[in-house]
Amino acid sequence: MSEAAKWYVVHTYSGYENKVAQNIEKVVENRKLHDLIQEVRVPTEKVTEITDGKSKEIERKTYPGYVLIKMVVTDDSWYIVRNTRGCTGFVGPASEPTPLSEEEVKSLFGIDVSSTVEINFKEGDRVQISGTAMDGFIGIVQNINLEDRTVDLLVSMFGRETPTTLPLSQVVAVED
Protein backbone atom coordinates (compact mmCIF):
# COMPACT_ATOMS: atom_id res chain seq x y z
CA MET A 1 0.00 0.00 0.00
CA SER A 2 1.47 3.30 -1.03
CA GLU A 3 -1.27 5.31 0.69
CA ALA A 4 -0.94 6.07 4.40
CA ALA A 5 -3.78 5.42 6.83
CA LYS A 6 -5.65 8.48 8.09
CA TRP A 7 -8.24 9.06 10.79
CA TYR A 8 -11.90 9.30 9.76
CA VAL A 9 -15.09 9.91 11.71
CA VAL A 10 -18.08 7.59 11.32
CA HIS A 11 -21.57 8.55 12.46
CA THR A 12 -23.53 5.89 14.37
CA TYR A 13 -26.86 5.60 16.09
CA SER A 14 -26.50 7.04 19.57
CA GLY A 15 -25.72 4.30 22.06
CA TYR A 16 -24.37 1.95 19.38
CA GLU A 17 -20.81 3.33 19.33
CA ASN A 18 -19.19 0.39 21.15
CA LYS A 19 -21.20 -2.18 19.18
CA VAL A 20 -20.20 -0.59 15.85
CA ALA A 21 -16.54 -0.51 16.93
CA GLN A 22 -16.67 -4.18 18.00
CA ASN A 23 -18.38 -5.24 14.75
CA ILE A 24 -15.81 -3.43 12.60
CA GLU A 25 -12.93 -4.93 14.60
CA LYS A 26 -14.48 -8.41 14.25
CA VAL A 27 -14.79 -8.08 10.45
CA VAL A 28 -11.20 -6.80 10.22
CA GLU A 29 -10.02 -9.77 12.28
CA ASN A 30 -12.02 -12.32 10.29
CA ARG A 31 -11.02 -10.97 6.88
CA LYS A 32 -7.45 -10.15 7.95
CA LEU A 33 -7.70 -6.52 6.82
CA HIS A 34 -5.39 -5.02 9.45
CA ASP A 35 -3.44 -3.22 6.72
CA LEU A 36 -6.60 -1.34 5.59
CA ILE A 37 -8.39 -0.69 8.90
CA GLN A 38 -5.70 -0.23 11.52
CA GLU A 39 -7.49 1.14 14.57
CA VAL A 40 -11.05 1.76 15.79
CA ARG A 41 -11.75 4.03 18.77
CA VAL A 42 -14.73 5.31 20.68
CA PRO A 43 -13.51 8.55 22.29
CA THR A 44 -14.14 8.53 26.05
CA GLU A 45 -13.09 10.51 29.10
CA LYS A 46 -13.00 9.65 32.79
CA VAL A 47 -15.26 11.88 34.87
CA THR A 48 -15.76 11.99 38.63
CA GLU A 49 -19.46 12.03 39.39
CA ILE A 50 -20.74 13.01 42.85
CA THR A 51 -24.20 11.73 43.79
CA ASP A 52 -25.65 11.53 47.29
CA GLY A 53 -22.34 12.69 48.74
CA LYS A 54 -20.42 9.78 47.19
CA SER A 55 -17.97 10.26 44.37
CA LYS A 56 -17.32 7.64 41.73
CA GLU A 57 -15.31 7.70 38.54
CA ILE A 58 -17.21 6.90 35.36
CA GLU A 59 -16.21 6.72 31.72
CA ARG A 60 -18.28 8.98 29.48
CA LYS A 61 -18.32 9.14 25.68
CA THR A 62 -16.68 12.36 24.53
CA TYR A 63 -18.57 12.42 21.23
CA PRO A 64 -21.77 10.37 21.49
CA GLY A 65 -22.84 8.98 18.13
CA TYR A 66 -19.34 8.94 16.62
CA VAL A 67 -16.57 6.36 16.14
CA LEU A 68 -13.03 7.19 14.98
CA ILE A 69 -11.33 4.88 12.50
CA LYS A 70 -7.72 4.91 11.28
CA MET A 71 -7.85 3.39 7.82
CA VAL A 72 -6.79 3.47 4.21
CA VAL A 73 -9.87 4.25 2.12
CA THR A 74 -10.41 1.63 -0.57
CA ASP A 75 -13.61 0.18 -1.98
CA ASP A 76 -13.29 -2.76 0.46
CA SER A 77 -12.64 -0.71 3.60
CA TRP A 78 -15.33 1.83 2.69
CA TYR A 79 -17.86 -0.96 2.09
CA ILE A 80 -17.07 -2.72 5.39
CA VAL A 81 -17.47 0.42 7.48
CA ARG A 82 -20.49 1.79 5.62
CA ASN A 83 -22.42 -1.52 5.82
CA THR A 84 -21.80 -2.18 9.50
CA ARG A 85 -25.06 -2.40 11.44
CA GLY A 86 -25.63 0.80 13.44
CA CYS A 87 -23.37 2.90 11.22
CA THR A 88 -25.10 5.69 9.28
CA GLY A 89 -22.11 6.87 7.25
CA PHE A 90 -18.90 8.84 7.22
CA VAL A 91 -18.74 12.43 8.41
CA GLY A 92 -18.02 14.62 5.40
CA PRO A 93 -19.76 16.23 2.45
CA ALA A 94 -22.35 13.81 0.97
CA SER A 95 -21.14 11.14 3.47
CA GLU A 96 -17.81 10.90 1.62
CA PRO A 97 -14.90 9.90 3.89
CA THR A 98 -13.03 13.09 4.81
CA PRO A 99 -9.80 12.61 6.81
CA LEU A 100 -9.18 14.57 10.01
CA SER A 101 -6.37 17.11 9.94
CA GLU A 102 -3.27 16.61 12.11
CA GLU A 103 -4.46 19.38 14.46
CA GLU A 104 -7.83 17.66 14.91
CA VAL A 105 -6.16 14.32 15.65
CA LYS A 106 -3.85 15.97 18.22
CA SER A 107 -6.78 17.67 19.96
CA LEU A 108 -8.79 14.41 20.03
CA PHE A 109 -6.01 12.15 21.29
CA GLY A 110 -3.97 14.64 23.32
CA ILE A 111 -0.42 15.82 22.78
CA ASP A 112 1.41 14.28 19.85
CA VAL A 113 3.79 11.87 21.59
CA SER A 114 6.00 11.53 18.52
CA SER A 115 6.93 15.21 18.51
CA THR A 116 10.11 16.25 20.25
CA VAL A 117 10.42 19.03 22.76
CA GLU A 118 13.22 21.52 22.44
CA ILE A 119 13.89 23.94 25.26
CA ASN A 120 16.61 26.54 25.56
CA PHE A 121 17.02 26.47 29.35
CA LYS A 122 18.16 23.98 31.98
CA GLU A 123 17.90 23.45 35.73
CA GLY A 124 19.26 26.44 37.60
CA ASP A 125 18.62 28.91 34.74
CA ARG A 126 16.57 32.08 35.16
CA VAL A 127 13.35 32.18 33.12
CA GLN A 128 10.51 34.64 32.64
CA ILE A 129 6.86 33.63 32.94
CA SER A 130 4.54 34.66 30.12
CA GLY A 131 0.87 34.12 29.35
CA THR A 132 -0.37 33.69 32.94
CA ALA A 133 -1.45 35.83 35.87
CA MET A 134 2.24 35.87 36.89
CA ASP A 135 3.22 37.39 33.55
CA GLY A 136 6.67 39.00 33.77
CA PHE A 137 7.80 37.30 36.98
CA ILE A 138 11.28 35.75 36.96
CA GLY A 139 11.81 32.25 38.29
CA ILE A 140 14.64 29.74 38.68
CA VAL A 141 14.17 26.34 37.06
CA GLN A 142 14.13 23.56 39.67
CA ASN A 143 13.01 20.64 37.51
CA ILE A 144 11.98 19.99 33.88
CA ASN A 145 9.43 17.23 33.17
CA LEU A 146 9.43 16.52 29.42
CA GLU A 147 6.78 13.78 29.64
CA ASP A 148 4.22 16.11 31.22
CA ARG A 149 5.70 19.12 29.38
CA THR A 150 5.92 21.10 32.60
CA VAL A 151 8.62 22.97 34.47
CA ASP A 152 8.95 23.47 38.24
CA LEU A 153 10.06 26.98 39.18
CA LEU A 154 11.01 28.86 42.29
CA VAL A 155 9.48 32.32 41.88
CA SER A 156 10.22 35.27 44.16
CA MET A 157 6.87 36.85 45.03
CA PHE A 158 6.50 39.53 47.69
CA GLY A 159 9.89 38.69 49.17
CA ARG A 160 9.20 34.95 49.45
CA GLU A 161 10.36 32.06 47.31
CA THR A 162 7.24 30.33 45.97
CA PRO A 163 7.37 26.98 44.14
CA THR A 164 5.13 26.71 41.07
CA THR A 165 4.63 24.35 38.15
CA LEU A 166 3.87 25.69 34.68
CA PRO A 167 3.56 24.32 31.14
CA LEU A 168 6.76 24.64 29.11
CA SER A 169 4.92 26.94 26.70
CA GLN A 170 4.54 29.61 29.40
CA VAL A 171 8.23 29.92 30.22
CA VAL A 172 10.85 31.89 28.26
CA ALA A 173 14.61 31.84 28.86
CA VAL A 174 16.08 35.10 30.14
CA GLU A 175 19.20 36.46 28.46
CA ASP A 176 21.75 37.42 31.15
Side-chain angles (χ1 to χ4, degrees), residues 23-34 37:
N23 288 342
I24 292 171
E25 288 171 342
K26 193 180 293 181
V27 170
V28 168
E29 189 69 35
N30 291 340
R31 295 188 186 178
K32 304 211 183 319
L33 297 172
H34 300 286
I37 301 175

Side-chain angles (χ1 to χ4, degrees), residues 12 16 19-20 26 30 34 38 41-42 65 105 112 137 143:
T12 67
Y16 282 79
K19 190 70 173 162
V20 167
K26 193 180 293 181
N30 291 340
H34 300 286
Q38 298 176 358
R41 284 193 186 182
V42 177
V105 172
D112 185 10
F137 278 87
N143 184 31

Side-chain angles (χ1 to χ4, degrees), residues 57-133:
E57 202 168 272
I58 61 167
E59 199 164 320
R60 182 188 315 158
K61 291 180 180 74
T62 310
Y63 301 103
Y66 296 98
V67 174
L68 301 170
I69 302 176
K70 186 176 184 179
M71 63 185 253
V72 177
V73 176
T74 63
D75 289 340
D76 289 338
S77 63
W78 184 88
Y79 181 83
I80 289 167
V81 173
R82 180 67 183 91
N83 290 305
T84 300
R85 179 175 294 189
C87 176
T88 60
F90 284 92
V91 173
S95 290
E96 287 292 318
T98 306
L100 295 173
S101 68
E102 284 186 35
E103 293 79 26
E104 291 169 324
V105 172
K106 286 179 186 175
S107 69
L108 285 172
F109 301 128
I111 295 172
D112 185 10
V113 181
S114 64
S115 68
T116 59
V117 179
E118 291 184 20
I119 52 175
N120 57 352
F121 51 85
K122 61 185 182 309
E123 288 183 22
D125 284 357
R126 293 179 61 225
V127 293
Q128 183 173 357
I129 300 171
S130 67
T132 70

Side-chain angles (χ1 to χ4, degrees), residues 45-51 54-60:
E45 63 183 349
K46 289 191 189 283
V47 179
T48 303
E49 193 175 80
I50 300 174
T51 52
K54 298 177 183 176
S55 68
K56 63 178 180 178
E57 202 168 272
I58 61 167
E59 199 164 320
R60 182 188 315 158

